[in-house]
């Protein structure tokens, strides 16, 4: 078991190494670099003629004149040894400063979304499978198809309206104005949860709808397994045997697609964040590409993929606990 | 002749119960109907039989004859779409008195005590009757802890002891293994260990050897025979294989489309078969020493349960069918001897 975890852990680093190379290539792909952008911004409309040697000077100043592999190693080295993601040119500060709060918000939304999704989808899916073809089951099915069909931004607007109008919370951001700079307290935490609630529910809605169907389908299969009948024939109480046998395997596909859920949340987040006025990473990613601010873009891509790879690692470990048939080999 | 009423191994000799004979389970007029999308399916149509203490009752029939549904009715493991007739009776005779199983609630405490406690069951597919995600020991101990008042440690010792009793080598190691680490034959042995770990008085074996190859099959039958005496229990042995039934059963019920065609001691049914169906089934079995002769299969196919033939259900395939009689009204049950009854017009 320990060996399995270590192997998977090591595998995660190998994956991240290749990911970092790909991210770096993606960073290099757009035509031009920040030097062009910088010169354009600074001198456009001033009548100054920018020569190629001016551009080279800017490049040298920004460290963009070195060959690609050198830049790769200094970039990745900075991240590994100093946790320094480089300079955010457009903001004239470090990437770490730019990302700081946005990363925190993105992670907070991500994890609250995942928690809501699993807390709702797993028990509801199991309930629907156990009470198959009942009114509750049909109701839940309709609800979950609605959840899949409703566009996120519409739901975001509706929930935003409700939360402002009836719950009296402020729009956008992580905290209300009075808590913005206040030290951590219970009240501040509650305020944070209030603000997280809307984006998390919006994002969890479709994921929950999808996972309810997954859990319901696997649970329905598992319930009819002979091993469940055999346990019933041993006189085990119905509820206990449902949780012990079929439910344990019914959450298998949910656990194994944890990485996919993260991926989906990341791709849906920017639209929702735009509607709700949240400063998260997706919007920054688009902006940094427009600015050719490549270290910001690279840092975001790297962090997002790292989270996905890490969630996959967690789901591998969780799966091997859930199902001993999964071979404990790397 | 088998003796029906001689009590050789009554569990509690001193118990003077209201039941003077040695009945353990008495099924009377059991009828089961399934609601399906295509309509009602009559899977069991009024069958009666009795399992006696210390004896093995064989229920034999083709697939679709209702033998497994009969077993599931006794255990109350039928799916929700199945209904047991109002006037059916399944009486289980505990030492403390009879219990009417059909009137118990499916999920009641009493039904759960019976299930696995008094009546245990093993299934056709040893491959899938264990959950793959728990160890063998976990699943044996689960049954023990459910029905016997012992500690976890004691339950584990009982589990190891049971694995040893069913002939699994290295039981102390096997107890912590997962089902997929055991072969099919070993898994069926382990299933028997689960079933017997609670010391039931009745074991229902639903085609326990069908999925196993012939040598393993013989070992399992031998094992079950030995354990039946050691644990002083009765067995209801369900199979489609008359060869197997001949080895294990003292009493036999031959089922066809939910009806008992013939009932009697093994000697009655196998040695002196009366019903044309039993006769043709026996004609389809190869015999050593009579090489060369062709086997005679039972002609025709088993009718769809959705369209049950009127009258005697076997008349569509019967060579001795009496036109205008067999296909009109169902026959009555005729006594051939004290122990032997047949459901056929030929003997009325």
């Amino acid at each position: 078991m320990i060996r399995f975890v270590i192997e998977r852990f090591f595998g995660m680093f190998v994956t991240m190494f290749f990911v970092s190379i790909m991210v770096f290539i993606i960073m290099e792909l757009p035509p031009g670099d920040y030097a062009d952008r910088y010169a354009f911004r600074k001198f456009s409309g001033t009548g100054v003629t920018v020569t190629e040697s001016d551009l080279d000077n800017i490049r040298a100043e920004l460290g963009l004149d070195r060959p690609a592999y050198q830049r790769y190693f200094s970039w990745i080295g900075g991240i590994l040894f100093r946790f320094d993601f480089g300079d955010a040119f457009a903001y004239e500060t470090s990437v770490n400063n730019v990302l700081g709060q946005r990363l925190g918000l993105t992670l907070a939304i991500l994890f609250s979304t995942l928690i809501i999704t699993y807390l709702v989808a797993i028990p509801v899916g199991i309930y629907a499978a156990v009470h198959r073809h009942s009114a509750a089951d049909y109701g839940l099915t309709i609800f979950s198809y609605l959840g899949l069909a409703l566009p996120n931004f519409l739901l975001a607007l509706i929930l935003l309206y409700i939360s402002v109008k009836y719950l009296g919370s402020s729009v956008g951001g992580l905290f209300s104005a009075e808590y913005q700079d206040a030290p951590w307290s219970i009240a501040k935490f509650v305020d944070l949860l209030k603000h997280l609630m809307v984006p998390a529910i919006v994002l969890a809605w479709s994921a929950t709808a999808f996972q309810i169907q997954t859990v319901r389908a696997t649970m329905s299969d598992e319930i009819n397994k002979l091993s469940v009948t055999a346990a019933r024939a041993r006189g085990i109480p119905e509820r206990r045997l449902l949780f012990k046998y079929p439910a344990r395997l019914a959450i298998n596909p949910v656990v194994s697609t944890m990485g996919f859920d993260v991926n989906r949340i990341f791709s849906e987040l920017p639209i929702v964040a735009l509607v709700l006025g949240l400063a998260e990473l997706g919007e920054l990613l688009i902006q940094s590409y427009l600015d050719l601010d490549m270290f910001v873009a690279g840092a975001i891509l790297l962090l997002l993929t790292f989270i996905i790879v890490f969630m996959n690692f967690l789901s591998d470990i969780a799966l091997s606990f859930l199902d001993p048939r999964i071979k404990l080999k790397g | 002749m088998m003796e029906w009423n001689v009590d050789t191994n009554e569990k509690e000799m001193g118990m003077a119960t209201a039941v003077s004979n040695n009945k353990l389970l008495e099924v009377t007029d059991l009828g089961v109907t399934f609601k399906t999308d295509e309509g009602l399916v009559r899977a069991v149509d009024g069958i009666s039989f009795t399992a006696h203490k210390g004896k093995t009752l064989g229920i034999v029939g083709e697939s679709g004859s209702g033998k497994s549904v009969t077993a599931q009715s006794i255990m109350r493991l039928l799916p929700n779409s199945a209904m047991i007739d109002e006037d059916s009776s399944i009486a289980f005779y505990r030492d403390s008195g009879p219990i009417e199983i059909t009137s118990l609630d499916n999920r009641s405490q009493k039904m759960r005590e019976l299930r696995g406690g008094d009546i245990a069951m093993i299934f056709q597919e040893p491959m899938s009757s264990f959950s793959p995600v728990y160890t063998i020991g976990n699943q044996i101990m689960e049954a023990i802890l459910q029905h016997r008042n012992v500690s976890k440690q004691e339950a584990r010792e009982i589990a190891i002891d049971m694995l040893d009793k069913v002939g699994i080598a290295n039981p102390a190691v096997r107890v912590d293994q997962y089902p997929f680490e055991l072969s099919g034959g070993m898994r069926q042995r382990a299933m028997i260990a689960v079933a017997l770990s609670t010391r039931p008085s009745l074991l229902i074996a639903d085609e326990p050897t069908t999925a196993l190859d012939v040598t393993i099959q013989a070992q399992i039958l031998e094992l079950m025979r030995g354990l039946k005496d050691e644990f002083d229990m009765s067995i209801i042995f369900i199979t489609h294989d008359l060869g197997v039934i001949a080895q294990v059963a003292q009493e036999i019920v031959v089922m066809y489309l939910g009806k008992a065609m013939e009932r009697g001691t093994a000697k009655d049914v196998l040695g002196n078969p009366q019903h044309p169906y039993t006769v043709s089934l026996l004609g389809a079995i190869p015999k050593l020493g009579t090489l060369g002769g062709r086997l005679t299969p039972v002609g025709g196919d088993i009718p769809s349960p959705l369209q049950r033939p009127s009258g005697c259900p076997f008349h569509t395939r019967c060579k001795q069918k009496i036109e205008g009689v067999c296909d009109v009204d169902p026959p009555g049950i005729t006594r051939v001897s004290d122990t032997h009854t047949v459901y056929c017009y030929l003997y009325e």
Side-chain angles (χ1 to χ4, degrees):
Chain A
M1 192 64 220
I2 291 165
R3 206 190 129 140
F4 171 74
V5 174
I6 292 171
E7 279 174 355
R8 276 292 137 113
F9 194 71
F10 180 73
M12 189 168 74
F13 277 98
V14 175
T15 312
M16 281 315 294
F17 170 68
F18 287 109
V19 165
S20 73
I21 292 176
M22 278 169 66
V23 166
F24 191 76
I25 292 172
I26 292 170
M27 286 162 66
E28 294 284 304
L29 276 181
D33 57 18
Y34 189 72
D36 300 327
R37 221 2 73 172
Y38 180 78
F40 175 76
R41 274 213 182 146
K42 198 165 181 187
F43 302 113
S44 91
T46 58
V48 179
T49 314
V50 182
T51 61
E52 198 56 41
S53 68
D54 290 337
L55 283 177
D56 286 338
N57 285 339
I58 299 171
R59 283 200 182 96
E61 206 176 299
L62 297 175
L64 296 175
D65 57 336
R66 290 175 296 163
Y69 74 92
Q70 280 189 16
R71 276 182 291 128
Y72 171 75
F73 282 113
S74 77
W75 176 63
I76 206 75
I79 294 171
L80 280 181
F81 300 117
R82 281 170 282 124
F83 202 67
D84 173 9
F85 287 89
D87 293 324
F89 301 130
Y91 300 86
E92 297 186 341
T93 175
S94 71
V95 173
N96 296 30
N97 279 341
V98 176
L99 293 190
Q101 218 199 352
R102 284 169 183 257
L103 179 65
L105 175 71
T106 305
L107 287 179
I109 293 177
L110 172 71
F111 285 108
S112 38
T113 303
L114 286 177
I115 289 169
I116 293 176
T117 304
Y118 298 143
L119 278 187
V120 176
I122 292 170
V124 168
I126 290 174
Y127 181 88
V130 174
H131 300 88
R132 212 147 37 125
H133 305 311
S134 68
D137 178 32
Y138 289 125
L140 288 166
T141 306
I142 292 170
F143 163 81
S144 68
Y145 282 122
L146 256 177
L148 287 172
L150 264 185
N152 266 328
F153 60 87
L154 181 65
L155 191 66
L157 283 173
I158 296 170
L159 287 182
L160 193 62
Y161 178 79
I162 294 173
S163 77
V164 171
K165 177 112 180 169
Y166 299 104
L167 303 175
S169 52
S170 64
V171 178
L174 261 186
F175 301 104
S176 306
E178 63 264 39
Y179 293 113
Q180 197 67 59
D181 299 311
W184 277 103
S185 63
I186 302 278
K188 184 173 179 174
F189 184 68
V190 171
D191 186 59
L192 172 71
L193 287 184
K194 264 192 190 166
H195 282 83
L196 280 177
M197 200 173 66
V198 172
I201 290 177
V202 171
L203 289 167
W205 198 283
S206 61
T208 307
F210 178 77
Q211 296 290 22
I212 284 177
Q213 292 303 316
T214 313
V215 173
R216 182 185 177 274
T218 358
M219 184 74 182
S220 307
D221 282 352
E222 289 295 332
I223 277 180
N224 293 321
K225 288 267 170 77
L226 181 59
S227 55
V228 177
T229 309
R232 200 172 286 134
R234 292 197 281 272
I236 310 304
E238 193 65 17
R239 184 168 299 211
R240 181 139 58 95
L241 82 90
L242 284 181
F243 280 108
K244 184 173 173 186
Y245 296 101
R248 175 167 165 171
L249 287 165
I251 60 175
N252 226 328
V254 175
V255 172
S256 60
T257 53
M258 239 156 51
F260 298 160
D261 281 334
V262 174
N263 199 2
R264 186 168 46 220
I265 291 166
F266 278 150
S267 46
E268 289 176 0
L269 184 53
I271 300 169
V272 175
L274 196 67
V275 174
L276 298 176
L278 295 168
E280 50 77 54
L281 291 176
E283 180 210 356
L284 189 63
L285 178 62
I286 297 166
Q287 192 54 47
S288 62
Y289 260 106
L290 292 175
D291 288 342
L292 292 176
D293 202 352
M294 297 330 290
F295 286 127
V296 175
I300 295 173
L301 285 177
L302 206 57
L303 284 170
L304 296 191
T305 41
F306 174 74
I307 293 166
I308 293 173
V309 170
F310 183 72
M311 291 306 279
N312 276 334
F313 166 72
L314 281 189
S315 92
D316 277 353
I317 305 283
L319 269 187
S320 71
F321 275 109
L322 279 176
D323 192 338
R325 283 172 298 177
I326 291 167
K327 276 272 177 240
L328 304 183
K329 276 192 210 151
Chain B
M1 282 293 284
M2 300 304 297
E3 288 160 301
W4 283 67
N5 292 310
V6 177
D7 189 356
T8 46
N9 39 14
E10 177 99 57
K11 230 176 187 175
E12 310 254 338
M13 289 300 252
M15 287 293 287
T17 57
V19 197
S20 57
N21 53 30
N22 53 1
K23 283 176 186 170
L24 183 62
L25 182 89
E26 188 170 26
V27 174
T28 317
D29 265 337
L30 176 68
V32 182
T33 308
F34 283 84
K35 276 182 277 184
T36 70
D37 292 338
E38 288 87 39
L40 294 177
V41 172
R42 187 82 173 145
V44 177
D45 189 26
I47 95 160
S48 306
F49 58 82
T50 307
H52 293 91
K53 287 182 181 166
K55 299 275 165 61
T56 299
L57 170 74
I59 300 180
V60 65
E62 288 171 80
S63 26
S65 62
K67 51 197 195 311
S68 289
V69 174
T70 304
Q72 286 165 14
S73 308
I74 298 169
M75 293 294 272
R76 298 293 301 278
L77 291 174
L78 290 168
N80 290 334
S81 57
M83 296 170 299
I84 297 180
D85 288 0
E86 291 285 334
D87 57 351
S88 300
S89 159
I90 302 172
F92 181 77
Y93 295 97
R94 262 188 183 165
D95 295 333
S96 50
I99 298 170
E100 178 51 50
I101 290 178
T102 52
S103 62
L104 289 179
D105 182 73
N106 211 2
R107 295 190 171 192
S108 63
Q109 170 80 24
K110 200 155 199 183
M111 192 61 235
R112 276 192 277 109
E113 278 172 23
L114 278 174
R115 239 187 241 144
D118 296 278
I119 311 173
M121 187 163 178
I122 55 177
F123 299 88
Q124 180 172 351
E125 316 233 329
M127 290 299 171
S128 46
S129 38
F130 277 107
S131 164
V133 295
Y134 294 96
T135 59
I136 298 286
N138 178 307
Q139 294 175 69
I140 304 182
M141 282 162 65
E142 180 187 57
I144 299 168
L145 290 168
Q146 185 69 37
H147 295 285
R148 293 169 72 172
N149 196 12
V150 294
S151 71
K152 257 194 154 156
Q153 190 51 45
E154 287 168 310
R156 192 185 153 83
E157 277 156 23
I158 295 171
I160 294 173
D161 184 48
M162 281 310 303
L163 287 176
D164 188 42
K165 277 209 165 72
V166 296
I168 288 179
N170 245 332
V173 176
R174 294 294 184 188
V175 76
D176 291 321
Q177 285 189 331
Y178 287 97
F180 57 83
E181 296 173 87
L182 271 62
S183 69
M186 255 207 272
R187 252 184 265 185
Q188 196 59 295
R189 284 173 190 268
M191 206 62 220
I192 294 171
V194 177
L196 300 192
S197 62
T198 57
R199 307 201 162 254
S201 43
L202 176 63
L203 175 70
I204 299 177
D206 187 359
E207 306 243 12
T209 56
T210 306
L212 305 171
D213 66 56
V214 183
T215 45
I216 308 291
Q217 183 173 316
Q219 290 171 15
I220 297 284
L221 291 179
E222 186 54 45
L223 173 72
M224 286 178 69
R225 214 179 347 229
L227 290 172
K228 178 177 87 80
D229 295 336
E230 185 180 341
F231 284 80
D232 190 17
M233 61 179 182
S234 311
I235 298 179
I236 293 181
F237 198 104
I238 295 169
T239 181
H240 64 270
D241 189 337
L242 276 168
V244 169
I245 233 51
Q247 290 177 56
V248 294
Q250 285 92 52
E251 294 151 41
I252 295 176
V253 180
V254 180
M255 279 184 80
Y256 184 80
L257 275 187
K259 284 271 185 204
M261 308 309 266
E262 188 161 0
R263 270 175 65 190
T265 62
K267 222 169 194 167
D268 291 337
V269 175
L270 301 174
N272 182 23
Q274 299 292 312
H275 199 285
Y277 179 57
T278 319
V279 175
S280 51
L281 276 184
L282 288 167
I285 299 177
K287 288 179 190 64
L288 281 175
T290 53
L291 286 171
R294 288 185 71 87
L295 295 173
T296 38
V298 184
D301 286 321
I302 194 159
S304 158
L306 282 164
Q307 290 153 347
R308 290 180 62 84
S310 58
C312 169
F314 187 61
H315 82 253
T316 55
R317 301 166 77 181
C318 185
K319 287 180 190 140
Q320 291 162 271
K321 173 183 159 190
I322 309 167
E323 208 65 52
V325 176
C326 293
D327 51 353
V328 181
D329 288 315
I333 293 170
T334 310
R335 291 183 85 80
V336 180
S337 73
D338 279 354
T339 56
H340 193 175
T341 57
V342 61
Y343 176 80
C344 186
Y345 275 115
L346 291 174
Y347 305 96
E348 282 198 347

